[in-house]
Amino acid sequence: MIPFNIPLHVEKEFTYLQQVIRNKKVSGDGEFTKRCHRWLETKFHVKKVLLTTSCTHALEMAAILLNIQEDDEVIMPSYTFVSTANAFVLRGAKIVFVDIRPDTMNIDENKIEAAITERTKVIVPVHYAGVACEMDTILEIAERYKLYVVEDAAQGVMSTYKGKALGTIGHLGTYSFHETKNYSCGEGGAILINDSRFNERAEIIREKGTDRSKFFRGEVDKYTWVNVGSSYLPSELNSAVLLAQLEQANEVNAHRNRLWGKYYELLVGLKIGLPHIPNGCVHNSHMFYIKTADIDERTRLIDYLRRHGIHSVFHYSPLHSSEAGKTYSRFSGIDEITTKESERLVRLPLYYSLSIHDVERICKLIRCFYKGETT
Ligand SMILES: *Cc1c(COP(=O)(O)O)cnc(C)c1O
């Protein structure tokens, strides 16, 4: 059986975990968290990064930082994970969904402007599969209407748009280090702060509404409650695992790219949809998906692969059709693409311990399926 996902694990994690336990500094913001911050800031040329307990929490921090209030509107695609919406709904916002592009499954930048009202505060582009949204257009719209841009780059660690790392382009960006993502510490995330006006309050929100970060730097002689906040910092155990993985990121990324390339090479020419990478985008091979003719064909393909020992999955029932979506959101214009395309998509196994040989086996089965053969 080839499982759909096996979380990344590198040898160095053991060494770093031992150090954390020996040093008896297990709570947050110790040596390993700081080393992760430095690694991310240096690698992606961003002034300030703070690790969080998840990407969900990084998005919640963004909503607090931007002072999202009751009835503010936030624009995003409906084809995304629940957290993109929930983080803003928790502050009382109304979510306004915009249709996606069929080629990348990302928000259609040309349909954003029609969704803007006097209440709009934020645009949240989600870089699906680690392939960038059309950020130049999105930033231009945001500037014209004085809106904030929060990039949900949960899937985009190590991807770029016109040379800039995803997550570093909008006012704020968020990463996920959940075990389904390219680099993981089980549960974890980060907020990237590209506008330094947010630096100080971000530290306060993350540290229970206190100025404890300033205290640890010796900038104040005691720390107190200064603003609203919560507890969004991960334990050093998580950071130690993450640092070990980040230090091997180039190698991991190169192998993922080889697997992705092999899938593409062996599946091109079949009567299926394949991912599209626009000019100017370099992606991190977070995901390889194909698109079947329709939902029935998808059900049959997933079943066929399972019977032959391959676990493939689909995801994202559009949020606007969900129970909560009906209460907290509206869809701007008509849903031409979102539902139709989401029903065609199948995700194939892609992870560091997958081999080229595994990909060959999977592609052979898919080719058989489309020839009507049942070997
Ligand atoms: C995984 C994911 C999240 C949530 O990440 P967590 O770290 O699990 O909270 C949010 N948005 C998108 C697009 C994701 O893929």
Side-chain angles (χ1 to χ4, degrees), residues 54-56 59 80-81 83-84 126 152 154-155 176 178 181 188 316:
S54 63
C55 181
T56 302
L59 288 161
T80 183
F81 189 62
S83 297
T84 322
V126 178
D152 182 341
Q155 304 176 10
S176 173
H178 184 260
K181 303 302 200 288
Y316 298 160

Side-chain angles (χ1 to χ4, degrees), residues 33-82:
T33 306
K34 285 186 190 133
R35 284 170 71 183
C36 286
H37 290 169
R38 248 178 284 136
W39 192 94
L40 292 161
E41 287 164 357
T42 309
K43 179 86 175 169
F44 301 133
H45 305 288
V46 49
K47 292 237 175 62
K48 193 165 182 68
V49 177
L50 293 168
L51 288 194
T52 58
T53 30
S54 63
C55 181
T56 302
H57 281 165
L59 288 161
E60 287 181 21
M61 278 185 66
I64 298 170
L65 270 171
L66 300 180
N67 291 318
I68 297 303
Q69 315 274 319
E70 201 76 24
D71 296 327
D72 284 348
E73 291 184 354
V74 179
I75 290 174
M76 64 180 66
S78 173
Y79 186 70
T80 183
F81 189 62
V82 286

Side-chain angles (χ1 to χ4, degrees), residues 31 38 72 75 93 111 169 173 191 298 308 317 321 340:
E31 178 200 335
R38 248 178 284 136
D72 284 348
I75 290 174
K111 292 181 179 170
I169 304 163
I191 183 163
R298 177 172 80 176
H308 289 83
S317 299
S321 310
K340 194 173 115 226

Side-chain angles (χ1 to χ4, degrees), residues 10-270:
V10 302
E11 207 48 34
K12 197 78 179 278
E13 291 168 28
F14 293 119
T15 316
Y16 285 171
L17 281 169
Q18 272 191 341
Q19 282 180 33
V20 171
I21 294 160
R22 284 219 186 88
N23 295 348
K24 300 194 166 43
K25 174 69 180 103
V26 186
S27 63
D29 280 343
E31 178 200 335
F32 287 95
T33 306
K34 285 186 190 133
R35 284 170 71 183
C36 286
H37 290 169
R38 248 178 284 136
W39 192 94
L40 292 161
E41 287 164 357
T42 309
K43 179 86 175 169
F44 301 133
H45 305 288
V46 49
K47 292 237 175 62
K48 193 165 182 68
V49 177
L50 293 168
L51 288 194
T52 58
T53 30
S54 63
C55 181
T56 302
H57 281 165
L59 288 161
E60 287 181 21
M61 278 185 66
I64 298 170
L65 270 171
L66 300 180
N67 291 318
I68 297 303
Q69 315 274 319
E70 201 76 24
D71 296 327
D72 284 348
E73 291 184 354
V74 179
I75 290 174
M76 64 180 66
S78 173
Y79 186 70
T80 183
F81 189 62
V82 286
S83 297
T84 322
N86 251 335
F88 295 93
V89 168
L90 276 168
R91 317 308 308 166
K94 185 103 187 163
I95 307 300
V96 178
F97 291 122
V98 167
D99 212 1
I100 54 172
R101 294 164 44 143
D103 59 348
T104 57
M105 304 299 278
N106 281 335
I107 194 166
D108 187 337
E109 66 280 3
N110 296 315
K111 292 181 179 170
I112 291 175
E113 210 168 338
I116 295 173
T117 72
E118 277 142 45
R119 297 208 148 129
T120 309
K121 287 279 159 60
V122 191
I123 305 172
V124 189
V126 178
H127 303 297
Y128 183 69
V131 178
C133 297
E134 198 39 65
M135 292 307 290
D136 279 350
T137 309
I138 293 171
L139 289 182
E140 185 274 314
I141 295 168
E143 206 163 297
R144 204 145 32 83
Y145 289 89
K146 303 207 174 354
L147 307 175
Y148 290 114
V149 175
V150 176
E151 297 175 72
D152 182 341
Q155 304 176 10
V157 180
M158 295 285 280
S159 294
T160 57
Y161 171 81
K162 300 187 178 173
K164 281 188 178 165
L166 301 193
T168 71
I169 304 163
H171 297 86
L172 300 165
T174 64
Y175 284 163
S176 173
F177 301 115
H178 184 260
E179 72 164 36
T180 52
K181 303 302 200 288
N182 292 21
Y183 310 94
S184 105
C185 52
E187 303 279 354
I191 183 163
L192 287 76
I193 301 166
N194 308 313
D195 181 333
S196 55
R197 282 178 299 168
F198 297 117
N199 284 1
E200 188 172 335
R201 235 184 109 223
E203 287 184 344
I204 291 166
I205 291 165
R206 182 168 163 274
E207 268 280 24
K208 297 97 179 165
T210 72
D211 53 0
R212 187 146 88 175
S213 300
K214 270 186 164 174
F215 171 72
F216 282 136
R217 284 197 298 263
E219 293 166 24
V220 289
D221 53 17
K222 64 179 166 74
Y223 73 87
T224 59
W225 184 21
V226 290
N227 210 315
V228 292
S230 188
S231 183
Y232 291 127
L233 67 165
S235 142
E236 279 282 285
L237 294 167
N238 293 53
S239 303
V241 170
L242 183 63
L243 182 67
Q245 296 192 6
L246 292 177
E247 287 177 345
Q248 250 174 268
N250 287 342
E251 197 182 317
V252 172
N253 198 52
H255 183 62
R256 294 189 76 108
N257 285 342
R258 278 194 295 275
L259 297 170
W260 195 100
K262 188 50 94 178
Y263 267 127
Y264 199 97
E265 177 197 322
L266 296 178
L267 293 176
V268 75
L270 290 181

